[in-house]
Amino acid sequence: MSSSSWLDQLEARLDQQLEAFLAANPSQEALLEEQGARDRQARLVGQRRQLQRQAEQERQALLQLADEIRRWQERVVKAQAAGATALAERAKAHQQGLMEQGRQRWQQLGELGVSFAAVERDLRDLDSRSRPPRASSLEQDWAAFEANQALEELRRQQR
């Protein structure tokens, strides 16, 4: 008997015992599901914070890159004005490389935005599922309707 089959058998046996326990104790299953939802929410909140930190780092890097691109643009203009064409071309090539880095960083920031939106959507879904469904509001709506009707009747009588 190999160790993996022994481990598989043990895992199967434990799964069976857990299922039997949960079938006999439905309240425990609800607690287990609730704990799973809390764990998932905590994981998603941590993921959201991490994405926010990454986005802020990307934003700061983009701002620094924009400043550096401006400095190199000024250098290109200065070199061209002084007639240093070769130096101006090299500076312009460097500036183009920086601009390509900027495009890549924008793309990364966009991807972070997509990931952030997915995490937010998952959190909203989890939150809406974790809240118990509202009792049928038909009775509440009917009571409000009757109250409004009674108010209207009182107003008509007062005129």
Side-chain angles (χ1 to χ4, degrees):
M1 179 190 237
S2 71
S3 64
S4 70
S5 67
W6 173 81
L7 191 57
D8 292 340
Q9 288 176 355
L10 177 62
E11 186 175 345
R13 177 82 173 124
L14 290 174
D15 284 342
Q16 288 172 349
Q17 287 179 346
L18 178 61
E19 287 175 21
F21 174 77
L22 292 176
N25 300 290
S27 63
Q28 294 300 315
E29 185 171 12
L31 289 174
L32 188 61
E33 288 174 5
E34 188 178 309
Q35 182 61 46
R38 280 195 302 268
D39 292 347
R40 181 163 166 38
Q41 183 178 23
R43 242 185 353 269
L44 287 169
V45 167
Q47 205 174 1
R48 179 174 59 186
R49 280 192 206 114
Q50 176 63 28
L51 288 169
Q52 287 172 323
R53 281 191 298 272
Q54 287 176 316
E56 181 57 27
Q57 289 170 350
E58 284 297 322
R59 190 177 85 66
Q60 290 300 321
L62 273 167
L63 291 172
Q64 290 173 352
L65 196 54
D67 286 341
E68 194 171 346
I69 290 169
R70 267 192 292 282
R71 277 195 311 275
W72 281 99
Q73 176 60 37
E74 292 168 2
R75 290 175 178 176
V76 167
V77 170
K78 190 174 185 178
Q80 287 172 338
T85 310
L87 184 60
E89 289 301 317
R90 288 176 51 210
K92 188 158 188 71
H94 183 69
Q95 179 189 15
Q96 291 298 322
L98 293 173
M99 291 173 73
E100 179 58 31
Q101 286 178 28
R103 282 188 284 278
Q104 290 171 357
R105 287 200 175 269
W106 268 113
Q107 184 178 2
Q108 290 170 345
L109 192 57
E111 290 167 1
L112 285 173
V114 169
S115 296
F116 186 82
V119 167
E120 285 291 305
R121 184 185 60 245
D122 289 349
L123 278 168
R124 276 192 311 274
D125 290 349
L126 190 62
D127 186 46
S128 67
R129 273 187 259 139
S130 67
R131 271 192 241 123
R134 243 181 66 177
S136 174
S137 63
L138 179 58
E139 289 294 331
Q140 293 169 345
D141 291 345
W142 188 258
F145 170 76
E146 286 182 327
N148 282 334
Q149 292 293 313
L151 281 173
E152 286 298 318
E153 183 62 32
L154 284 173
R155 285 184 190 135
R156 275 187 246 134
Q157 289 175 359
Q158 298 251 334
R159 290 183 193 161

